[in-house]
Amino acid sequence: MKKIFFSGLLGLIFIYGFTTIQATDNCDKKTLTNSCKKKMEPFKYDSQKFTKIMYQKKAQQLEIEVPVFIGEKYRLVFNTSSLPKPVMVNVYTKDKESKKREAIYSSKDLKAGENEMVFDVPRVRKLYIDYDVPADSTSQKLSGCVVMMVGYK
Amino acid sequence: MLVNKKSFVRNSAMLLTAGMLFASCGNETPKDENVTAEDSTATETATVEVEDVSYSLPSPLQIASIFKKSGLKYKDGITSTLKDPSKYTTNLSKALNLGVYSADLSYTVLNKQNQEAMNYMKLCRQMADNLGMGSVFEQGNLSKRFEKNIGNEDSLAYIIAELQMVTDMYLDENDQQQVTSIVFAGAWIESMYVGSKVYEKGKDKSLNNKLAEQMTILGSIVNALKAQEKKDPAIGGLIADLQSVKAIYDELPSVKNRTEADDEADKEMTLTDEEVSTLTTKIEEIRTKFING
């Protein structure tokens, strides 16, 4: 009887531990940074932005504003490898409130499993990076992070 | 004895179960079965601390590099005076002056002022120590590599860029993103001060254009700081200072007369000497405030 009870108890602890591990994200910032840095060459590091993604029942759109300057050449590197579900990365010339905005990059054509993106920016006045986060109807509380690195030369 | 064992097992099980239930409740969004789907979504959104719009600010090195490309010459005696970092006692003043020294470090490196660059590097390190992040200078032997490469402008610029990268990562890992924005605010004011002081002497048109262009990112700096204000209420005063610079800039005739078509055509803006002077006076006032702590 005692054995059955303890087996049940261990089972409960295991299930609890498993769901807890699933609920935490796997955002190893150092590894992600080093990976982006390799793709940044020969551009010089300027800044980076980690964006924590917490999947919700509704789809979300998160935006990052990146100021750029005339005459400079820029490269953007994204890494989405720590995400449990793919997030679409789009780069625009204007913010999401603007009707005139133009998409200059989208990750929609990436092959499945590809999670590192390199984009050399054409001449623009400002950059708006949008992360289109899909809805998650499960109760797993999925989360992860996206890193964007900006370089210039 | 058997009764005690049974009791122990039962109590332990109850405690474990209660503990697990309690822990699970801590991670759950409170739910009210009577609320509508819309209300439920609103509740969930409110518990997630991710802003819809966030800001990625450039590095002090990039700003110095842009000014340098526009023809900014080195002018002796305009960078900040080397002071004892212990004079700064608040986190805000420490971070702002780390920014000021970072801008001066970039300016001196890009203009091959070796001794000055060494002095600012040491000061940046001391200031970072005061902020509890001196360890970033040890990563990848950055301090030693800087000393070894003194005189080699390109190598030093790469080392400063790497230092920026490890600093950004350190601050992010320690949930201190507000420090990144404050440091950049200090660096930006110092860069604008240096740029405007050099402009006073040579009246170089290209430098004038770059000073005007830099003003376009002030809104992003203010917004980045606003997004972090809850982490350090002292940021409120800094936002007000920067907004006072923006208010003066927005009222300049050259700015008011600029059309959307000018923006679309990437037409560079040129301010009159009087307008630069008005802006310089305000920037100098804010810079003095930063440096005095």
Side-chain angles (χ1 to χ4, degrees), chain A residues 4 8 12 23 27 31 41 47 53 65 70 82 84 94-95 102 107 110 114 122 126 128 133 142 151 153:
Chain A
I4 294 167
L12 270 173
C27 189
T31 304
E41 296 289 339
S47 63
I53 307 285
E65 183 181 307
I70 294 171
S82 85
K94 292 191 189 302
D95 67 36
E102 180 194 346
S107 66
L110 285 184
E114 223 175 319
K126 252 185 190 174
Y128 294 87
V133 184
L142 296 177
K153 69 174 180 183

Side-chain angles (χ1 to χ4, degrees), chain A residues 5 16 29 33 37 42 45-47 49 56 58 63-65 67 69-70 72 74 94 123 125 141, chain B residues 9 13 23 27 41 48 52-56 59 62 66 69 158 168-169 172 210 213-214 220 266:
Chain A
F5 177 79
Y16 173 74
K29 291 179 178 174
T33 297
K37 181 76 174 41
Y45 173 89
D46 187 43
S47 63
K49 184 95 187 165
Q56 298 178 16
K58 262 177 79 175
E63 191 163 87
I64 307 172
E65 183 181 307
F69 301 101
I70 294 171
E72 298 296 297
Y74 292 93
K94 292 191 189 302
R123 185 184 166 106
R125 304 255 335 158
K141 293 187 179 300
Chain B
V9 168
N27 287 333
T41 309
V48 178
D52 269 357
V53 180
S54 54
Y55 301 85
S56 178
S59 63
Q62 191 197 161
I66 288 166
K69 283 182 203 166
Y158 268 96
D168 289 346
M169 198 165 58
D172 207 281
K210 292 300 169 193
E213 188 189 21
Q214 281 300 315
S220 299
D266 269 356

Side-chain angles (χ1 to χ4, degrees), chain A residues 3 15 33 46 53 62 74 78 81 96 98-99 145 147:
Chain A
K3 272 185 186 173
I15 290 164
T33 297
D46 187 43
I53 307 285
L62 310 173
Y74 292 93
F78 300 92
S81 62
K96 59 183 173 185
S98 171
K99 286 173 187 167
C145 74
V147 60

